[in-house]
Amino acid sequence: MKPKKCNTDGSNGKTALLVLTVAVSLTLSQAESDSSSRFVKDIDGYMSVCQRLGWEPKKNVGCFQNDGLIAFHAVLKSHLQNVPVNTTLKFEDVLLNKGNGYDPKTGVFTAPQNGVYSFDWTFVTTKGSSVYLEAVVDGVGKASACIKDQASHDVSVSGHLLSELKEGNKVEIKTAHVPAGDLKPHKFNSFTGHMLR
């Protein structure tokens, strides 16, 4: 019989959490009088409660885990001008990439697992520029943000997409409608995303 994955949802999760909380509290109250090796041994024993309840801890980190975190934030390295229509922007300077879903070489985020994801992109253009940027999921445009014939200097524009993805779905930011006249580098142009919990 295949063991169930560690799960903190539902009544079984609440029961196990209560059992572990009580067990850890009792251990902490005894920790001052016990040696540190005894304390560690007790904690190891209490973590096996998951297994006795039919759960199997993931990656040997027990029930209290933070796996599955998916989040990224990347910015442009270069100043781009007259970028052709249907070009995927490569935000190459990656500041965060939990879950390794974003590939700076291609500019594409690949969903590591099923879930609802939130994406944002921001860009700054200069006077006279027109820029249309579109969030594309598996080749289909889902949301756009644009500015046409910009009248003032350095205007910032943002777009947002909330989408349910399956593992392997791909999301990218592409130019649309007209060549992108001007995109400022670094923090002015960014692509961000994360899976909602």
Side-chain angles (χ1 to χ4, degrees):
M1 180 180 191
K2 188 175 179 182
K4 296 178 184 176
K5 292 182 179 178
C6 189
N7 180 5
T8 58
D9 293 334
S11 59
N12 286 342
K14 291 177 183 174
T15 302
L17 186 58
L18 179 59
V19 169
L20 286 173
T21 301
V22 170
V24 170
S25 296
L26 290 172
T27 302
L28 289 173
S29 67
Q30 296 172 357
E32 292 181 11
S33 59
D34 292 344
S35 69
S36 60
S37 62
R38 173 76 178 152
F39 177 73
V40 171
K41 184 178 177 183
D42 287 346
I43 290 296
D44 288 341
Y46 293 131
M47 293 307 282
S48 70
V49 169
C50 279
Q51 293 171 327
R52 281 180 266 174
L53 291 172
W55 295 349
E56 182 65 34
K58 295 178 184 177
K59 302 178 185 175
N60 298 320
V61 294
C63 291
F64 300 108
Q65 55 189 330
N66 194 21
D67 65 326
L69 178 62
I70 299 169
F72 74 95
H73 180 75
V75 299
L76 283 182
K77 273 188 175 180
S78 307
H79 187 177
L80 302 178
Q81 294 179 304
N82 300 316
V83 183
V85 174
N86 205 34
T87 298
T88 299
L89 295 184
K90 298 175 185 176
F91 299 83
E92 295 176 315
D93 191 0
V94 180
L95 305 178
L96 178 73
N97 198 8
K98 295 289 187 180
N100 297 313
Y102 179 72
D103 183 353
K105 293 179 182 176
T106 63
V108 176
F109 171 81
T110 303
Q113 65 187 62
N114 297 351
V116 175
Y117 290 79
S118 176
F119 298 95
D120 294 285
W121 62 101
T122 299
F123 59 97
V124 170
T125 61
T126 56
K127 188 173 183 178
S129 292
S130 292
V131 176
Y132 291 76
L133 295 185
E134 185 172 52
V136 176
V137 179
D138 288 340
V140 179
K142 297 292 184 177
S144 298
C146 68
I147 189 162
K148 182 178 180 183
D149 300 327
Q150 182 175 315
S152 59
H153 293 282
D154 296 335
V155 171
S156 180
V157 180
S158 296
H160 182 76
L161 171 67
L162 191 63
S163 183
E164 184 170 8
L165 302 178
K166 300 293 185 187
E167 181 179 346
N169 285 158
K170 298 184 181 304
V171 180
E172 55 200 310
I173 303 300
K174 288 190 168 190
T175 55
H177 304 296
V178 298
D182 187 271
L183 293 169
K184 297 274 188 171
H186 307 302
K187 62 184 177 181
F188 297 110
N189 284 278
S190 63
F191 182 27
T192 300
H194 67 280
M195 187 177 79
L196 303 179
R197 296 303 253 167

